[in-house]
Amino acid sequence: MANVTAQMVKELRDKTGAGMMDCKAALSDTNADMEAAVDWLRKKGLSKAAKKAGRIAAEGLIGVAIGGLKGVVVEVNSETDFVARNEQFQGLVRMIADVALDVGPDVEAIKAGKVGDRTINDAINSAIATIGENMSLRRAAQVSVEAGAVGNYVHNWVSEGLGKIGVIVALESPGQKDELLALGRLIAQHIAASKPQAVDPSGLDPQLVAREKDILADKFRAQGKPEAMIAKIVESGLKTFYKEVCLLDQPYIREPDKSVAQAIKEAEGKVGGAIKVTGFVCYSLGEGIDRPDNDFGGEVAAMAGKR
């Protein structure tokens, strides 16, 4: 049996991020073969990942990547906010966003995507084993343009392209790309702050609009409005609703006396061409995830408070 030295253990630990005793065991079981020991730890990591899969992962990071006329946003979750400050986790999220930019927004396709000789799924499981928390690629989305630019904005920034809110917005235009990118960032900031649900009314879920119509109609009936007038009053009421949920109808956060559509129209002269917003995506970390009171992150915080 080969002699396992402290230097070998340190080298394996630096290479994999695994614990010292795990590294020593890996080297002992593989006759001090460094590459075989790495594989041994990866296999053990897969086992650890399975044990952690049931834990609630609602923290983590949103990652944004832009390449040419295309942009992607991904959400990668972890159990605690501490992990968002971990450089290995940040590198993982950045790697996932880069692969999504190449293979598209389908989560399973991203997991199967390769970086070198390993898949993204392998990389996630390896990070679970090393960092010690459940992690998951929750979702991904993409926008693109044939001509123009994809603007982006990351809020609660922790590192380049990584934060707690990520926005990408597609601006179709023949105008100057640098000016479009600057405008796109401003529009993305507005989206992060105002959370529109669609670019314009045509993009809204028909059921959402129907429900709003019913609410308005019942409200006006309760006020005693004549039935013959209700349909017309409802249409007027919908305009106010659209100002709340449609990007182009919303008051622009930088100049609230103007709509976003008006602000974009005024920017066309500087950009040098017509501008059309063809789509956007806004991800906020953990939105929609049910977080039990006794999740792992809460337990860690509670334990820290007892010290």
Side-chain angles (χ1 to χ4, degrees):
M1 180 180 291
N3 182 39
V4 176
T5 67
Q7 180 59 37
M8 293 166 66
V9 172
K10 182 180 183 302
E11 181 182 346
L12 182 59
R13 188 179 185 185
D14 290 344
K15 183 177 289 190
T16 64
M20 184 172 64
M21 296 308 295
D22 283 340
C23 289
K24 185 175 181 180
L27 289 163
S28 297
D29 284 5
T30 57
N31 201 29
D33 183 319
M34 191 63 65
E35 293 306 311
V38 171
D39 290 344
W40 188 96
L41 286 168
R42 286 180 64 192
K43 291 174 183 177
K44 185 175 181 181
L46 292 174
S47 174
K48 287 183 178 180
K51 292 177 183 177
K52 292 177 174 64
R55 293 179 180 172
I56 298 297
E59 298 294 340
L61 287 170
I62 303 295
V64 169
I66 305 295
L69 300 177
K70 181 167 60 177
V72 295
V73 59
V74 301
E75 178 176 356
V76 184
N77 296 124
S78 61
E79 295 176 56
T80 68
D81 186 50
F82 304 122
V83 172
R85 298 187 287 273
N86 181 293
E87 289 186 5
Q88 182 185 354
F89 182 73
Q90 292 176 10
L92 174 68
V93 179
R94 197 170 282 114
M95 181 193 306
I96 290 172
D98 288 342
V99 169
L101 197 59
D102 183 47
V103 305
D106 180 79
V107 168
E108 294 306 316
I110 296 169
K111 288 181 180 178
K114 284 197 169 185
V115 176
D117 63 347
R118 65 176 181 168
T119 65
I120 287 296
N121 198 52
D122 289 339
I124 293 172
N125 284 320
S126 178
I128 291 171
T130 302
I131 297 174
E133 287 193 13
N134 185 26
M135 299 174 197
S136 65
L137 168 59
R138 182 186 179 203
R139 53 181 176 162
Q142 172 184 301
V143 299
S144 61
V145 293
E146 293 184 4
V150 174
N152 75 96
Y153 172 67
V154 175
H155 190 63
N156 286 115
W157 186 96
V158 299
S159 184
E160 186 66 35
L162 306 175
K164 298 302 177 73
I165 299 175
V167 181
I168 50 177
V169 56
L171 302 180
E172 194 81 40
S173 175
Q176 302 175 53
K177 187 167 183 180
D178 57 342
E179 295 290 350
L180 283 169
L181 286 171
L183 175 64
R185 178 174 174 78
L186 296 178
I187 300 303
Q189 288 175 341
H190 170 95
I191 292 168
S194 300
K195 300 292 192 301
Q197 297 183 34
V199 173
D200 56 36
S202 68
L204 289 172
D205 182 342
Q207 291 184 346
L208 176 67
V209 177
R211 186 167 70 244
E212 188 64 22
K213 283 183 175 181
D214 288 342
I215 291 170
L216 289 170
D218 288 345
K219 173 185 172 183
F220 295 130
R221 285 192 188 98
Q223 293 175 358
K225 302 293 184 184
E227 194 67 31
M229 294 178 58
I230 286 179
K232 187 174 182 179
I233 301 173
V234 164
E235 287 304 316
S236 178
L238 279 177
K239 292 179 181 178
T240 300
F241 175 65
Y242 294 150
K243 287 180 181 180
E244 296 173 358
V245 299
C246 295
L247 171 63
L248 297 181
D249 291 315
Q250 288 180 328
Y252 185 37
I253 57 169
R254 289 179 173 270
E255 299 178 82
D257 58 324
K258 299 176 183 176
S259 68
V260 172
Q262 289 171 325
I264 291 173
K265 188 67 178 176
E266 289 181 4
E268 290 180 347
K270 188 175 182 181
V271 167
I275 305 167
K276 181 180 180 182
V277 179
T278 58
F280 69 86
V281 179
C282 178
Y283 278 180
S284 294
L285 182 66
E287 60 187 348
I289 296 178
D290 185 21
R291 307 183 190 216
D293 292 337
N294 63 339
D295 68 87
F296 182 66
E299 292 173 11
V300 172
M303 289 173 63
K306 293 176 181 178
R307 293 180 180 175

